[in-house]
Amino acid sequence: MKKIFLPAIIFFLIVNAVHYPAAALELHEECVPPVKQFVLYLESYDFGGGVNKIVLHTKKPVFEKQIAVKDFEIEWGRGTRTVQDAYLCDPNGLRLPLSAAADGAEFVAIELYCGPDENCNPFAGTMFFGSKEIIKIEIENDEIGFSSKKCAGIVNHSASKFKIDEYTSSRMTLQYAYYLPGNPEAFRDSNIEVISDSEKIPLIIWFHAVGEGGKNPYVPLFGQRAVNLAEEKIQSYFENGAAVLVPLSPTSWLETVELDAMGNKVWAPVDVFSKMDKLSVAVANAIDEKRTGGKNQVKEDEHPADSYYTVDVKELIDAFITKNPRIDTSRIYIGGCSAGGYMTLNMIFNYPDYFAAAFPVCAAYPDSRITDSNIEVLRRTPVWFVLSLADQTVNPETHTLKTFARIKAAADGTMPPDAGSEPDAHLTTFEKVIDLSNQYKGADGGAFEYDGHFSWIYVLNDRVSENGTSLFRWLSGCRLPQ
């Protein structure tokens, strides 16, 4: 089977190489391109966001016989795109029937191939520094006299459900995307003093992975398909729906409160940095040996743990809840993947008994940095861990599996924590991560296999369950004690 693996060097290299910013990002439910401009149709895939259609507006009517796939040239950043179909359409990209197309049209739709083996992401920027702009895109077709670099906007129905806002603390400004079910404005009226329990809704907080940080709050919605949290399949588990909050890290949640010798904030480690950790530790200890005779030697497992963003994110959450009084504070759920899984655990440890439940996915939180008191917090917090045993980025054995075993050991009395009831702790493991859409195949014709780190694919497609109960069904039943 064909596989994609993330080499360690990816954390230091640019994700999509260097792109040339072309236009500011705007997402719409509908968008009609002006003359000599085009609109991108962005779809959410398990491998990230991808543009699968472009609608362009010609200056004068063109006819179906003038439209041929081979005549379109699409420059996409530093590459090109594969055109699969082209046809006359209405202003919103719907194919015109033959009767209407006979008179010609000024709008043309171009359908593009999207897959894990082609760069179809329109977002500009590099890892940790995502831009608010899109990459340079140029469309040419000499046969119909069209040439344009002007993108009028991006269409995505799912993402258009989300609003973008920001919160400013005493230290920084954090952007975030959010979704509110129903009619949010009806519950913001200053005359409303009491909202009944039957009208209240839970809040799901999702923390993105390491590659989605930066300046673009839409990127976390597509990087791991977090838009699905606002879709009917997941929303239906909650009686009145659920609010969704997706904070954006300016860099990465892994950035910690500790400083190195140069005054830079140290990043919490994940296994991909293990070789560099060993090298940096060896260098530091060699310098210390020379300066102090070895009085301040560093051990390889002595890593920082608390995220630099901890306090500011908690303030953002509090401010968001204050702004949206319909949210039930006894049903605040928190989850995330990779660096976001680390942030999930980080928030639980720093604010015990605040969150009703948690679902860390391929969490990049080394068990060596989790104390027995942290385990106690996990014992009394309903938690559902998810991972793939094929994960080569965050080693399950040194992270989640070891932590989960300690939670169970504490429950079995083989550790000396305070006595308590059996913890509501769950663990779902997958042997590998395969394509769930059946659209992509490996070289042998079998299911396409993604990088083993991508276990969030199962979570955000609602494919995680235990004894017939799905993760989100379980989540909907979790509530803080009154």
Side-chain angles (χ1 to χ4, degrees):
M1 295 183 183
K2 186 175 180 180
K3 301 181 181 181
I4 298 178
F5 290 113
L6 290 178
I9 196 69
I10 197 171
F11 283 84
F12 303 97
L13 296 180
I14 296 172
V15 175
N16 295 315
V18 176
H19 294 305
Y20 300 98
L25 173 74
E26 289 186 29
L27 264 71
H28 310 269
E29 186 172 4
E30 293 181 345
C31 183
V32 177
V35 173
K36 302 297 287 184
Q37 297 188 35
F38 56 85
V39 167
L40 306 177
Y41 281 69
L42 178 64
E43 185 58 62
S44 174
Y45 296 95
D46 289 334
F47 52 82
V51 172
N52 61 5
K53 184 164 76 171
I54 301 175
V55 173
L56 53 90
H57 190 171
T58 61
K59 189 174 182 179
K60 58 183 180 179
V62 296
F63 296 88
E64 197 73 47
K65 64 181 181 181
Q66 295 177 270
I67 305 298
V69 167
K70 64 180 179 61
D71 295 329
F72 287 94
E73 295 181 4
I74 302 178
E75 182 181 342
W76 196 265
R78 288 187 170 179
T80 58
R81 292 296 304 275
T82 303
V83 179
Q84 293 185 312
D85 196 6
Y87 48 84
L88 298 182
C89 65
D90 69 10
N92 291 312
L94 298 178
R95 185 190 291 265
L96 290 179
L98 291 178
S99 57
D103 296 328
E106 295 183 4
F107 295 93
V108 178
I110 310 167
E111 293 189 359
L112 309 173
Y113 169 75
C114 265
D117 54 348
E118 179 157 329
N119 177 24
C120 43
N121 179 7
F123 300 125
T126 61
M127 184 173 282
F128 323 132
F129 300 101
S131 169
K132 285 188 175 180
E133 299 173 315
I134 63 172
I135 60 175
K136 178 184 177 182
I137 300 172
E138 184 172 1
I139 302 173
E140 291 189 0
N141 185 324
D142 293 338
E143 297 300 316
I144 62 174
F146 186 87
S147 178
S148 178
K149 300 178 182 178
K150 296 181 180 180
C151 176
I154 299 178
V155 172
N156 181 276
H157 176 72
S158 297
S160 68
K161 295 179 181 180
F162 286 80
K163 306 298 182 185
I164 304 300
D165 206 341
E166 61 183 33
Y167 170 77
T168 301
S169 69
S170 60
R171 300 192 308 167
M172 67 182 72
T173 294
L174 293 173
Q175 295 185 86
Y176 61 91
Y178 70 94
Y179 165 78
L180 295 170
N183 180 11
E185 296 305 319
F187 296 92
R188 288 183 178 175
D189 193 315
S190 59
N191 295 321
I192 295 178
E193 296 181 358
V194 178
I195 298 176
S196 67
D197 289 343
S198 63
E199 294 176 307
K200 290 204 167 186
I201 56 175
L203 171 63
I204 301 174
I205 302 167
W206 175 260
F207 291 113
H208 60 75
V210 73
E212 283 67 46
K215 298 178 180 179
N216 186 343
Y218 284 113
V219 169
L221 298 180
F222 293 98
Q224 288 83 39
R225 215 172 190 176
V227 290
N228 282 5
L229 293 171
E231 293 299 301
E232 177 63 23
K233 187 175 184 181
I234 291 177
Q235 287 287 312
S236 65
Y237 287 111
F238 307 91
E239 184 176 356
N240 297 314
V244 180
L245 175 63
V246 185
L248 174 68
S249 167
T251 54
S252 170
W253 306 122
L254 296 175
E255 198 168 10
T256 73
V257 296
E258 297 190 24
L259 303 178
D260 63 17
M262 301 298 292
N264 301 309
K265 288 185 285 294
V266 179
W267 285 38
V270 290
D271 280 0
V272 75
F273 288 130
S274 60
K275 292 183 179 179
M276 179 162 287
D277 274 343
K278 292 179 180 179
L279 177 61
S280 62
V281 167
V283 171
N285 285 342
I287 294 174
D288 175 65
E289 183 70 33
K290 187 173 182 180
R291 289 180 176 177
T292 70
K295 293 180 180 180
N296 300 308
Q297 293 288 289
V298 179
K299 296 180 181 179
E300 287 184 15
D301 62 351
E302 290 182 349
H303 297 295
D306 285 351
S307 173
Y308 172 71
Y309 296 104
T310 303
V311 174
D312 305 275
V313 167
K314 177 57 165 55
E315 289 181 9
L316 185 160
I317 296 170
D318 291 339
F320 182 76
I321 293 172
T322 299
K323 193 174 182 179
N324 298 279
R326 191 184 178 195
I327 292 174
D328 184 349
T329 55
S330 70
R331 291 185 292 162
I332 302 175
Y333 310 129
I334 188 170
C337 60
S338 193
Y342 155 83
M343 191 61 173
T344 298
L345 294 174
N346 171 75
M347 295 301 291
I348 293 173
F349 297 154
N350 280 279
Y351 301 99
D353 305 317
Y354 179 85
F355 302 99
F359 54 109
V361 186
C362 55
Y365 205 122
D367 181 75
S368 63
R369 300 299 295 159
I370 296 178
T371 66
D372 286 348
S373 61
N374 292 152
I375 293 295
E376 275 303 291
V377 171
L378 290 175
R379 288 196 68 242
R380 64 177 185 264
T381 303
V383 60
W384 195 318
F385 294 95
V386 180
L387 60 85
S388 162
L389 297 175
D391 194 334
Q392 296 184 8
T393 301
V394 175
N395 186 345
E397 295 291 342
T398 57
H399 289 67
T400 298
L401 293 180
K402 198 169 184 179
T403 300
F404 188 76
R406 289 172 65 193
I407 296 172
K408 287 300 185 180
D412 294 340
T414 54
M415 288 181 65
D418 296 336
S421 59
E422 179 73 14
D424 188 1
H426 307 263
L427 170 65
T428 297
T429 62
F430 295 91
E431 288 296 323
K432 54 190 175 183
V433 182
I434 61 172
D435 173 53
L436 302 177
S437 69
N438 295 319
Q439 294 182 7
Y440 311 107
K441 303 296 182 181
D444 61 355
F448 186 91
E449 186 174 343
Y450 288 101
D451 184 283
H453 189 49
F454 293 7
S455 50
W456 55 77
I457 288 176
Y458 294 105
V459 175
L460 295 172
N461 281 288
D462 192 26
R463 298 293 189 92
V464 178
S465 63
E466 182 180 282
N467 299 324
T469 300
S470 73
L471 185 156
F472 290 102
R473 173 67 69 193
W474 165 84
L475 198 69
S476 70
C478 294
R479 183 188 296 266
L480 288 177
Q482 298 298 319

